[in-house]
Amino acid sequence: MKPFLTFCALCCFIGIFRLPIEYYTFLRILVSLGALLVLYNTLSSRQHYFSIIFLVILILFNPVFPIYLYRKSIWIPIDTITGALFLLINFIERKEHTKKKKKLPKKPQSTHLPYTRELSPETELLILKQQNKSNNHYGKQSNNRKPQSSFFKAVSNGNL
């Protein structure tokens, strides 16, 4: 997207010179596509001020129902401002993209989940049952089991 927007800006700056009408038709199509692309991206990221600006550019450079201003002296500042806006939106998106890259959290070193006590009673009961199954070898309980808390004892006995 960035090379395309830079190309749109470059073509707008070239449009300042006296060129054949075919170039300006090409410029209308190119700038309309670029403005439509920027309009979509700014609306999806909720940047409404840029959306309004590029909607005006889309209407002004629209190739389907072209707006003719007939004087080159009017189009020169419009082409210059449009090219500058394409470069500006290109720079702003690049700057936001690098900020997002810097804010990415580092991956944790270990893959195991930390032990937390904020479990629901149902989850604690399931964990307890799984621990009991893993500790009971042929009906015998192992001696290296951790002592149960009073909450676990009450839940396992059905008193809660």
Side-chain angles (χ1 to χ4, degrees), residues 13 26 48 54-55 89 101 142:
F13 293 134
F26 165 73
H48 297 296
F54 279 93
L55 180 65
I89 198 75
K101 277 187 177 179
S142 84

Side-chain angles (χ1 to χ4, degrees), residues 36 60 64 85 94 144:
L36 196 61
L60 193 60
V64 178
L85 285 171
R94 182 175 293 137
N144 60 358

Side-chain angles (χ1 to χ4, degrees), residues 11-19 23-24 72 75-76 79-80:
C11 288
C12 284
F13 293 134
I14 292 173
I16 294 171
F17 303 109
R18 289 201 182 271
L19 297 167
Y23 178 78
Y24 295 107
K72 184 71 177 165
W75 277 107
I76 288 175
D79 287 339
T80 306

Side-chain angles (χ1 to χ4, degrees), residues 3-134:
F4 181 69
L5 295 180
T6 306
F7 182 67
C8 289
L10 182 66
C11 288
C12 284
F13 293 134
I14 292 173
I16 294 171
F17 303 109
R18 289 201 182 271
L19 297 167
I21 191 68
E22 290 82 16
Y23 178 78
Y24 295 107
T25 304
F26 165 73
L27 184 66
R28 282 183 182 272
I29 294 169
L30 183 71
V31 171
S32 294
L33 288 175
L36 196 61
L37 182 66
V38 171
L39 187 65
Y40 174 76
N41 285 337
T42 55
L43 283 175
S44 64
S45 64
R46 298 184 186 263
Q47 296 175 338
H48 297 296
Y49 46 92
F50 279 121
S51 299
I52 293 170
I53 292 170
F54 279 93
L55 180 65
V56 170
I57 290 173
L58 179 64
I59 292 169
L60 193 60
F61 282 87
N62 152 28
V64 178
F65 301 107
I67 296 175
Y68 295 109
L69 299 177
Y70 297 110
R71 298 181 72 199
K72 184 71 177 165
S73 61
I74 297 172
W75 277 107
I76 288 175
I78 292 173
D79 287 339
T80 306
I81 292 170
T82 303
L85 285 171
F86 273 117
L87 288 178
L88 178 71
I89 198 75
N90 197 3
F91 174 75
I92 288 174
E93 286 183 0
R94 182 175 293 137
K95 189 175 179 182
E96 288 176 356
H97 185 66
T98 56
K99 283 183 183 178
K100 287 180 183 176
K101 277 187 177 179
K102 289 180 183 177
K103 289 184 181 179
L104 288 177
K106 293 182 180 179
K107 290 184 179 179
Q109 300 260 338
S110 63
T111 57
H112 71 280
L113 295 175
Y115 177 75
T116 59
R117 291 194 164 260
E118 292 87 18
L119 299 175
S120 69
E122 295 83 18
T123 307
E124 289 179 351
L125 185 60
L126 283 172
I127 291 171
L128 178 65
K129 286 180 180 180
Q130 288 176 351
Q131 286 176 349
N132 284 338
K133 284 182 182 179
S134 66

